[in-house]
Amino acid sequence: MRIVITILMSLLIITLCSCGSKPKKEATILDFSSEKYGAVDTGDLKLAHGDLLSVNQNGRTVVVKAKIKSNATKEMTINQNYFSVDELIRNHGFNTCDELQYWAVADMQDGSESKVIQFTLTKDVIDKIYAGSILSNQVGDHVTDLWILPSLQN
């Protein structure tokens, strides 16, 4: 009887130990260091906030288009875009481009889809984000060509 209990306990321990041991999936890392043109295959890349609609490369300039959802406040709706770009730069190879243009659309209350925000990051800003000298909650202070849907502006 002790042998049976020992075997059952061993099997239970092995089963419990192996439950959370799925191999961790590698992060998708893209490389924009060479001049290419056209749509970029992003594989299973996901944004921190929202859905990635497309990534296009025009030389060393990268254009990211996303679809977001409104957040609890207007400020949070805007800031989620900066957090997504920060994530792309720090963890997915977007630090290798010379310029990053970001556009986001969202569903409006009338059922239409409209652009919500658009901005550009220069190489200098991209490098500072990657190095950690510009934090994700500071990205909005360093963008150029900023356009925000008027109804989201204070």
Side-chain angles (χ1 to χ4, degrees):
M1 185 68 166
R2 287 185 183 172
I3 295 174
V4 171
I5 291 173
T6 304
I7 292 171
L8 289 175
M9 291 301 288
S10 298
L11 289 172
L12 179 61
I13 291 170
I14 291 169
T15 302
L16 291 175
C17 289
S18 65
C19 285
S21 64
K22 291 181 182 176
K24 192 171 183 179
K25 196 172 196 179
E26 293 278 331
T28 301
I29 309 288
L30 301 173
D31 182 6
F32 301 104
S33 60
S34 63
E35 293 214 11
K36 296 179 185 168
Y37 297 86
V40 175
D41 179 6
T42 58
D44 60 355
L45 181 64
K46 301 211 182 308
L47 289 178
H49 302 279
D51 297 320
L52 183 61
L53 298 179
S54 67
V55 175
N56 286 286
Q57 186 173 355
N58 186 13
R60 300 277 316 271
T61 297
V62 175
V63 180
V64 175
K65 293 187 181 175
K67 184 168 185 178
I68 63 166
K69 292 185 174 156
S70 63
N71 217 310
T73 67
K74 292 177 183 181
E75 183 179 15
M76 289 173 69
T77 299
I78 297 305
N79 288 342
Q80 69 182 328
N81 298 285
Y82 303 137
F83 288 111
S84 288
V85 167
D86 178 86
E87 168 79 8
L88 292 173
I89 291 168
R90 290 181 197 262
N91 299 318
H92 299 289
F94 284 71
N95 61 302
T96 59
C97 67
D98 286 345
E99 179 179 277
L100 192 143
Q101 298 174 8
Y102 178 91
W103 299 49
V105 298
D107 290 329
M108 301 291 109
Q109 290 179 344
D110 65 3
S112 66
E113 185 176 272
S114 182
K115 182 170 65 169
V116 175
I117 187 170
Q118 171 187 339
F119 57 85
T120 301
L121 296 173
T122 63
K123 181 61 173 167
D124 180 55
V125 171
I126 292 167
D127 289 344
K128 287 178 180 175
I129 292 169
Y130 186 70
S133 58
I134 295 176
L135 304 176
S136 54
N137 64 347
Q138 300 170 329
V139 172
D141 298 331
H142 299 277
V143 302
T144 59
D145 305 324
L146 176 63
W147 182 90
I148 298 174
L149 184 69
S151 64
L152 289 178
Q153 297 175 14
N154 293 334

